[in-house]
Structures are given as C-alpha cells and as structure tokens.
Amino acid sequence: MPELRKDPVLGRWIIIARERGKRPSDFVIVESPGSGGFCPLCPGNENTTPNEVLAYGRESNIINSPGWKVRVVPNKYPALVIEGDLNREGEGLYDKMNGIGAHEVVVESPNHDDVFSELPSEHMIMIFKAFQVRIKDLEHDDRFRYVLVFKNYGKAAGASLEHSHSQLVALPVLPRKIESELAGALTYYNYKERCVYCDIISQELKQDIRVVCKNEYFITITPFAPRTPFEMWILPIRHSSAYHEQDDRQLASLAEIFSESLCRLDACIPKVPYNFVLHTQPLRSPHMDHFHWHFEIVPKLTSIAGFEWGSGFYINPMPPEEAASYLRESLERIS
Amino acid sequence: MPELRKDPVLGRWIIIARERGKRPSDFVIVESPGSGGFCPLCPGNENTTPNEVLAYGRESNIINSPGWKVRVVPNKYPALVIEGDLNREGEGLYDKMNGIGAHEVVVESPNHDDVFSELPSEHMIMIFKAFQVRIKDLEHDDRFRYVLVFKNYGKAAGASLEHSHSQLVALPVLPRKIESELAGALTYYNYKERCVYCDIISQELKQDIRVVCKNEYFITITPFAPRTPFEMWILPIRHSSAYHEQDDRQLASLAEIFSESLCRLDACIPKVPYNFVLHTQPLRSPHMDHFHWHFEIVPKLTSIAGFEWGSGFYINPMPPEEAASYLRESLERIS
C-alpha cells in the first residue's frame, strides 16, 4: 500500500509508492520509455488493462472490447490505490496516512499515433466530457478531496507511454499548490470583492499584449509571470469555479480553443513536450465567487535546478509578451 | 535589465531574463553543455570572467591571476544584475520590479576534473568559508533580503559548466519556499515553544532509522517526507538559524559530514547528478529561535511531470528508511 507523508515544516505531502525489490542502481537518471513494441492502450489489448470505468463511441455493449473512441481505465501501476481506509496516524511529530486514491488513465484515441492537439473537435469534446464524468463520479467518494486532471506529452515531460493519454488522480488531501491558489484568490477577493482571474481577463483584454486567442467562451493568454517560455493559460471568460459544470456548448468551445492554442504552440516549436493541468474547485465545494477554473499548459523547455528547488523562483528567458506575439503570428506564418 | 514579476494569485516571483534575439526555435528541449573545449573557470583564463570578488590560497597579491584554490567571481551571464534601483511598480493588478541582485560563481577548485565530494577536507572548508564571507558581504546591501547558495552537479541537475562550481544569488525578495519554511517553523514554534528542526533531530536520533551519519556537530538524515529517492538533509545538531555564524571548528565538522554523505550517495549510485541548497535565515535577521539552518541535497533521479506541476505533491518510489539503510551500508560494502 502506498503511503502519504507530510513534511512537518512545509505541510507538503509526498507519496511513497514503494517499488519493491528495487536496488539503488535501478534508479536510472531519466526514465525514457522506448517506442514501438506492445502497447497496452491500443484496441485489441483491452484485456491487459484493469476493467474500464468509461468508454465513448463503442457501438456494442461489450465492455473492454474494441470499437471505442475514448476509454478510461484505472492505472495498472497506480500511485495511489482505491481500496482501504485512510488510517491517519502520527509517528512522533510526523503525520502519515494510507495512500488511498484513484489513478485513472484517459486513453484519448484508439489510434496509437494520434496526437492530442490534432484530434478533430468532436473527438476532443469526448475527452473533456470524460474528465467531467469522472470528476462527478469520484466526487461521491467521501475519502477524496480533489481530482487532479493532467497530461504529460512527450518523454521529456514525463510521458511513460507513447499512446496519447491523459490522467486523473483523486487525492484524499487538497494539493498544496491548489490550496495556495485558493488562498491567494480568496485574499484578493476579500480585499477587492472581485475574482482575481476575472480581473486578469479584463486587464488582458484591455492591454491585448498577452492574449494568444479567444473565442465565444474562452481566452488563452500567456500569464504575466510565466514559469517557462510559452506557458499558456486557458480560462473561461465568464466566471465559473467548477470545470465539471460546463455545458456541451462550452465544452465544444473549449475543445476549439485548446486545439488552436496547442497548434499555435506546435507551429512555434514543433513537437515540444508539455504538461497541462486542470485547476478547478475542490470536490463537493459550493460555488466559489473567488476562484475561477482554468487549464495551465507548461511546455518543457527549461530544466529545474538548484535555484528553482531552493527558491521556488523560476528563471524564464522569454517575456510572455514576446511569446504571445510569436503564438499569435504562428499559424498565420504557416498558412 | 532582467525583470522580476509576481504571480498575482500565488505571490510567486519569476525572473524574466530576456535573451535577446532568441527565436522560438532556439529554445532547445534540454540544454546539454558539451564537455571539452575552452573552460572559463580554469586557471589561466581568469581574464575571461568578471573581476573576482574573493580568492583563497593564492600566494601572490595579483587579483585575477592563477594560484588560487577557491575563487568567487560574478556570473558572466547573471540572472539578476547588481547595478540599479528596484523601481517597484504596478501594471494594473500586476507587480514587477527591476531584476536587481547578485549572481556569483564559486569556483571550487583550480583542477577542471576535481569532484566536489572528493575534495580534501581542508579544501572543502575554504568553500564553506567562501559562502559565509560572501553572505556577510552581501548582507550590507540593503536592497537584498536573501542569499540563496546552491550547487548543480551533473548535466541532468542543471550544471551548465563541467568545472566544479557552486553559485550564490542575492535576491531583493524572500523566496517563496523559504518564506513557507519560515512560516511553517514559526507556526510549530508558537504551538510547542520548540524548534521543529530540533524536534526532528531528537526524534531521528531516538528512532535511528533515517540517520545516515553523524559527527560532533552535524547529523545527516533522509527526511521523513522526501521528494526524491536518497534526498538528504544535513543539520547542525545544536540550534542555530544563521549559517554564516558557524565558527571554524563547526565548518571543519560540516566539511567532514558533507563529504561523507556525498561519498555514501556516490557509493549507492555512482556519479548521480544532484542539487544542494543552503537554507538559512534572511539577511539582517535577528537570531531565530524557530528556524534552524541546514543543507538539502536532492539527487536528480525522478522527473517532474504534470502531476507534480499541478499538485506540488511528489511521488517517491523509495521510502527514506530504505534509502538510509543503503546509505549507511554503502561505504562499508565498498571497503
């Protein structure tokens, strides 16, 4: 059973997911998954994954059979396990609990070589819908406080399988980064009585130097203080704290802007590895006037070294205004 | 001039260190410095670095000449620049200031191929002394609030030059991670009226399952909630919040345990890349009963992906008790 441990000074949680029998020499510097060979996410290999929890697009009613367009399965090597009690306990001044949680893989397409950003809009909508459905389902489990939805694209960004997929992790504690974000947004709200993200959107629209693109419901910006070159945030223009409550028209609009934003990024730096992370309200939370759900897309272009470890500061060689200008012009240059 | 920008929600600072003329395609995925060729840190090339600010071991009085054993020079490509005013200003709801600071390189040895962990004790003491002297000097500059001392060893850990060196960055703001650490330690102190690190040391000595080694003044442990396999902390056993106030006997003891700890790590995983970071009190701070200076050594063995970006959680495949046991046995196994 994995274990959750809390740093007694920072309150930061760590998952100790012991891989038994590993000796020190087994820790390779950077794990680089090979390409080719057997793929457990490809159609026909459904029996090699745990039983699916969701599938879209299949005409038959036979679960774990081919014919799906998007498929969600529990992770075969989960960081956290679904069965058991939390058993919070102390060990002197330290705190720990069982590593209870859910870890699911969203297989984004049946085609091994499909790339997320190039999927047709109707297909991408199914993926965004799957995130919603899984969040709503996991919300019923009282042991969980937050569902983290994210994608690692490319080896350098941590993808361990080539086949296009994203992941959901349901956590029994609120992640510290989300907690800080909620606290920062609340401080601003208490002072101004306005949502800080709404104010950001309004200032970005006015200044128009960090806006990458925009459609009916969404806006993509390069944030004022980005951690990496070409970092992008996708936010709903109208205030909302809950991703899972967006309706189908909004999801269609989200698919459209997500695809456009990633295509613009790819036109600037072809096949750049990236991570995206959904930031949304905690499970079972009432609507929050101070928090605004959004996606953060972080390209993997710089490496984290002692300075970042020690300070939490990031050094970014590209001002977001320049990045936005490249991203705005990128598709125009190609066409 | 670099620019410091603050994320309006998290309060996280970013350094925008623009590298002019860089186009998107110039951002390579992972910058890997080549080996061989010209080394600006080697003796004889002193004129290719900015003027040195400190040198130990040279018999002549000629600055920027060979004959030194440890040499400190301003970084030729600094993340922050020393000249100018902070000029804090707003841009709508955003905050920024000039990227004022000092960025120095501690050249740890004249020999290009020397490895920090293998330096003789007397030599290592000079390096630890140099950190102290530079912190004390930079403390006189009222614009600076903190000096971050760190080392990147190995390409994967971000080292951009092969020649053994560490770095100091004087910052005009308190780094968010240090701020969180100070706040966490203060909360504990207010509740218990004891230093949390002193309590950690006392519990570690009692449990004796995460102690790597110990000498007269210092202890090395694998922390209870480590971010990576084989993470180690080196702490002074007696309470102290200020690294720069350690006397020569303590520095000798520090050099001894630092060298032993890194040799044990190297015996477990030869030539593993790592970062170390000094955590000490802010500049011009009075003694702190609640904070305890220490070094954190973080081997580069896992990669940071979407999950870590989004949550601030880390997944670590090796329990610190196992790591400590490997580290304790490592030198014995070799000899």
Side-chain angles (χ1 to χ4, degrees):
Chain A
M1 164 96 61
E3 195 172 274
L4 283 174
R5 297 187 175 197
K6 192 182 193 171
D7 180 279
V9 183
L10 288 171
R12 171 178 63 205
W13 288 93
I14 303 292
I15 301 174
I16 303 282
R18 184 197 301 263
E19 296 175 30
R20 274 190 197 282
K22 260 203 172 183
R23 296 181 53 83
S25 50
D26 299 331
F27 290 95
V28 288
I29 298 317
V30 170
E31 287 154 59
S32 51
S35 72
F38 176 79
C39 174
L41 306 187
C42 272
N45 301 334
E46 285 82 0
N47 59 336
T48 65
T49 67
N51 279 333
E52 70 192 26
V53 291
L54 185 70
Y56 287 139
R58 191 189 281 131
E59 282 171 21
S60 83
N61 283 325
I62 308 164
I63 74 152
N64 299 324
S65 71
W68 47 271
K69 289 185 173 160
V70 170
R71 183 170 182 254
V72 184
V73 295
N75 194 316
K76 201 167 179 179
Y77 306 101
L80 297 165
V81 296
I82 193 90
E83 278 113 18
D85 294 317
L86 290 173
N87 288 342
R88 288 172 177 269
E89 60 176 317
E91 177 183 322
L93 61 76
Y94 301 131
D95 300 306
K96 61 182 179 180
M97 63 172 110
N98 283 333
I100 303 296
H103 190 167
E104 301 180 355
V105 175
V106 180
V107 191
E108 294 165 342
S109 160
N111 304 316
H112 186 84
D113 294 322
D114 271 358
V115 174
F116 178 72
S117 59
E118 293 167 6
L119 292 172
S121 188
E122 323 80 71
H123 195 109
M124 212 183 251
I125 293 171
M126 283 189 279
I127 297 166
F128 288 120
K129 187 84 192 167
F131 294 161
Q132 288 191 324
V133 170
R134 293 309 305 144
I135 291 173
K136 282 184 211 168
D137 186 43
L138 291 161
E139 195 163 42
H140 294 131
D141 192 323
D142 280 341
R143 297 170 305 168
F144 304 148
R145 296 221 180 136
Y146 195 79
V147 174
L148 196 77
V149 175
F150 62 97
K151 179 178 172 70
N152 304 334
Y153 171 69
K155 288 182 195 178
S160 55
L161 289 168
E162 230 179 28
H163 195 126
S164 188
H165 68 286
S166 36
Q167 300 178 65
L168 285 101
V169 178
L171 294 160
V173 293
L174 206 54
R176 208 161 148 268
K177 252 187 200 165
I178 299 293
E179 209 169 29
S180 303
E181 212 170 83
L182 291 169
L186 185 60
T187 303
Y188 187 93
Y189 185 84
N190 285 340
Y191 185 57
K192 304 262 193 186
E193 294 188 46
R194 294 193 306 268
C195 162
V196 60
Y197 295 95
C198 288
D199 274 10
I200 288 174
I201 292 167
S202 130
Q203 179 169 339
E204 292 304 344
L205 285 170
K206 207 176 299 160
Q207 287 192 287
D208 200 24
I209 49 175
R210 282 176 295 266
V211 177
V212 176
C213 50
K214 197 169 87 76
N215 66 11
E216 193 184 349
Y217 293 108
F218 291 90
I219 184 172
T220 300
I221 59 167
T222 54
F224 176 76
R227 287 159 287 185
T228 66
F230 299 97
E231 177 172 348
M232 295 188 283
W233 292 359
I234 299 178
L235 306 108
I237 295 172
R238 205 180 318 154
H239 183 83
S240 162
S241 60
Y243 168 76
H244 62 274
E245 286 176 5
Q246 303 291 294
D247 65 24
D248 288 353
R249 277 180 58 193
Q250 288 164 321
L251 286 195
S253 179
L254 175 63
E256 186 200 318
I257 201 164
F258 220 112
S259 166
E260 181 182 342
S261 305
L262 288 176
C263 286
R264 288 182 180 278
L265 177 63
D266 193 70
C268 284
I269 312 179
K271 298 201 183 307
V272 60
Y274 63 83
N275 302 108
F276 74 62
V277 183
L278 170 63
H279 293 232
T280 186
Q281 67 179 31
L283 296 180
R284 298 177 300 282
S285 159
H287 283 271
M288 293 173 154
D289 286 336
H290 63 281
F291 190 68
H292 198 119
W293 77 264
H294 61 281
F295 277 99
E296 300 188 359
I297 304 172
V298 185
K300 177 74 185 172
L301 287 164
T302 45
S303 68
I304 294 195
F307 183 71
E308 288 80 9
W309 273 118
S311 66
F313 252 76
Y314 293 84
I315 302 178
N316 180 347
M318 171 160 279
E321 298 75 21
E322 255 178 55
S325 148
Y326 278 118
L327 290 162
R328 281 159 88 137
E329 290 160 21
S330 61
L331 292 185
E332 288 70 8
R333 268 189 287 131
I334 277 184
S335 58
Chain B
M1 163 96 62
E3 196 173 273
L4 283 174
R5 297 187 175 197
K6 192 182 193 173
D7 180 279
V9 183
L10 288 171
R12 171 178 65 205
W13 287 93
I14 302 291
I15 301 174
I16 303 282
R18 184 195 301 262
E19 296 174 30
R20 275 192 196 282
K22 261 205 172 182
R23 296 182 54 83
S25 49
D26 299 332
F27 290 95
V28 287
I29 299 317
V30 171
E31 288 154 59
S32 51
S35 73
F38 176 80
C39 174
L41 306 187
C42 272
N45 301 335
E46 286 81 359
N47 59 336
T48 66
T49 68
N51 280 334
E52 69 191 28
V53 290
L54 183 70
Y56 287 138
R58 190 189 282 131
E59 283 171 20
S60 82
N61 283 325
I62 307 165
I63 73 152
N64 298 325
S65 71
W68 47 271
K69 288 184 174 160
V70 171
R71 183 171 182 253
V72 185
V73 295
N75 194 316
K76 201 169 179 177
Y77 306 100
L80 297 166
V81 297
I82 193 92
E83 277 113 18
D85 295 317
L86 290 174
N87 289 340
R88 286 171 179 269
E89 60 176 317
E91 177 183 320
L93 59 78
Y94 301 131
D95 299 306
K96 60 183 180 178
M97 65 172 108
N98 282 333
I100 303 296
H103 190 166
E104 301 179 354
V105 175
V106 180
V107 191
E108 294 165 342
S109 160
N111 304 316
H112 186 84
D113 294 322
D114 272 358
V115 174
F116 177 74
S117 60
E118 293 167 5
L119 291 172
S121 189
E122 324 79 73
H123 195 109
M124 212 183 252
I125 293 172
M126 284 190 278
I127 297 166
F128 287 120
K129 187 85 192 165
F131 293 161
Q132 288 191 323
V133 170
R134 293 309 305 145
I135 290 173
K136 283 185 210 168
D137 186 44
L138 290 162
E139 196 164 42
H140 294 131
D141 192 322
D142 280 340
R143 297 170 305 169
F144 303 148
R145 297 222 180 134
Y146 196 80
V147 174
L148 195 78
V149 176
F150 62 97
K151 178 177 174 69
N152 303 334
Y153 170 69
K155 288 181 195 180
S160 54
L161 289 167
E162 229 180 28
H163 195 125
S164 188
H165 69 286
S166 37
Q167 301 179 63
L168 286 100
V169 178
L171 293 161
V173 293
L174 205 54
R176 206 160 151 269
K177 252 187 200 165
I178 300 294
E179 209 169 29
S180 304
E181 212 170 82
L182 291 169
L186 185 60
T187 303
Y188 187 93
Y189 186 84
N190 286 340
Y191 186 58
K192 303 262 193 186
E193 294 189 45
R194 294 192 307 268
C195 162
V196 61
Y197 294 96
C198 288
D199 275 10
I200 287 174
I201 292 166
S202 130
Q203 179 168 340
E204 291 303 345
L205 285 170
K206 207 175 301 161
Q207 287 192 287
D208 200 24
I209 49 174
R210 283 175 294 265
V211 177
V212 176
C213 50
K214 196 169 89 75
N215 66 12
E216 193 184 351
Y217 293 107
F218 291 90
I219 183 172
T220 300
I221 59 167
T222 53
F224 176 75
R227 288 159 285 185
T228 67
F230 299 99
E231 177 172 346
M232 294 187 284
W233 293 0
I234 299 178
L235 306 107
I237 295 172
R238 206 180 316 154
H239 184 83
S240 161
S241 60
Y243 168 77
H244 62 275
E245 286 175 7
Q246 302 292 293
D247 65 24
D248 288 353
R249 277 180 59 193
Q250 288 164 321
L251 286 196
S253 178
L254 175 64
E256 188 200 317
I257 200 163
F258 220 113
S259 167
E260 182 182 342
S261 305
L262 288 176
C263 286
R264 286 182 181 278
L265 177 62
D266 194 69
C268 284
I269 312 181
K271 299 202 184 304
V272 60
Y274 64 82
N275 302 108
F276 75 62
V277 183
L278 170 63
H279 292 234
T280 186
Q281 67 180 30
L283 297 179
R284 297 176 301 281
S285 160
H287 285 271
M288 292 173 155
D289 285 336
H290 63 281
F291 190 68
H292 198 118
W293 77 265
H294 61 282
F295 277 97
E296 298 187 1
I297 304 172
V298 185
K300 176 76 184 173
L301 286 164
T302 45
S303 68
I304 294 195
F307 182 70
E308 288 80 8
W309 273 118
S311 66
F313 252 76
Y314 293 86
I315 302 177
N316 180 346
M318 171 161 278
E321 297 76 21
E322 254 176 54
S325 149
Y326 278 119
L327 290 162
R328 281 159 87 137
E329 289 160 20
S330 61
L331 292 185
E332 288 70 9
R333 268 187 288 129
I334 277 183
S335 57

